[in-house]
Amino acid sequence: VKDYYGKVLSKTEDLKTNACCTAESVPDRVKAAIKHVHPDVLAKYYGCGIVAPQQLEGCRVLDLGCGSGRDVYILAQFVGEK
């Protein structure tokens, strides 16, 4: 695991397995939010999808083991500044 994540992977395209979700299953509002995430963060995304409930405004989000932080950057857009 250390070698795989530390040496083999340097970008998303280096993944040797298929993630457990597809781009087709991502809601449109999440696809729109992804466009606002920095390309360097997107390039190092090794995750398995995102859980983004409809009602997040004003909530707090805690992402344990968030990797590149992609999901946090996306969810922050739905939570808002409060």
Side-chain angles (χ1 to χ4, degrees):
V1 171
K2 184 178 178 181
D3 282 342
Y4 182 67
Y5 284 97
K7 297 176 183 172
V8 175
L9 292 179
S10 64
K11 57 190 177 303
T12 305
E13 291 78 23
D14 295 334
L15 284 170
K16 304 233 184 269
T17 61
N18 190 4
C20 58
C21 67
T22 64
E24 293 78 33
S25 66
V26 177
D28 289 339
R29 66 190 183 92
V30 174
K31 287 179 186 176
I34 290 171
K35 293 178 183 176
H36 299 286
V37 177
H38 195 279
D40 289 348
V41 173
L42 296 176
K44 295 210 177 249
Y45 175 69
Y46 311 130
C48 192
I50 183 171
V51 175
Q54 288 290 327
Q55 300 300 320
L56 284 175
E57 187 173 351
C59 293
R60 291 188 174 118
V61 173
L62 174 63
D63 186 2
L64 302 174
C66 65
S68 69
R70 184 201 80 151
D71 293 352
V72 174
Y73 287 113
I74 293 168
L75 295 175
Q77 295 176 60
F78 300 126
V79 171
E81 293 184 24
K82 298 180 184 180

